[in-house]
Amino acid sequence: EAGIDWFIDDNYQTYLEMNKNGICCFLMDTLHNRKHEVGFKRILNFADFKNRFNLRAPANIQIVGPLFNVETK
């Protein structure tokens, strides 16, 4: 509905909600979320995310800035 293919967040609850609602969410590695096991969906930084997906589909992913948060009130 929102047209989101992938989502990256460092908040574990957001990660759970996005995946529960059918949006593929990755968890950005931080000190406050390392206690949660998320397997391959943990990323170290945006370059890590881009490198992983370019291995599967070379040159088919671009991270276009600026990066920002989308929040609802």
Side-chain angles (χ1 to χ4, degrees):
E1 194 175 297
I4 299 170
D5 293 320
W6 299 306
F7 197 86
I8 300 170
D9 205 295
D10 68 343
N11 182 287
Y12 184 67
Q13 292 305 316
T14 301
Y15 164 84
L16 290 176
E17 285 297 313
M18 297 297 269
N19 282 296
K20 182 175 101 177
N21 289 295
I23 296 172
C24 184
C25 186
F26 294 84
L27 192 65
M28 179 73 74
D29 186 52
T30 61
L31 288 175
H32 68 267
N33 67 26
R34 287 191 182 145
K35 62 186 173 190
H36 304 289
E37 178 55 47
V38 298
F40 76 93
K41 287 193 169 185
R42 180 175 301 279
I43 60 170
L44 303 177
N45 51 46
F46 291 109
D48 178 34
F49 178 79
K50 183 178 177 182
N51 289 337
R52 285 197 223 176
F53 282 88
N54 272 343
L55 289 175
R56 295 184 183 155
N60 287 336
I61 187 169
Q62 294 181 7
I63 298 174
V64 179
L67 301 173
F68 58 91
N69 289 333
V70 176
E71 298 178 9
T72 58
K73 292 184 178 184

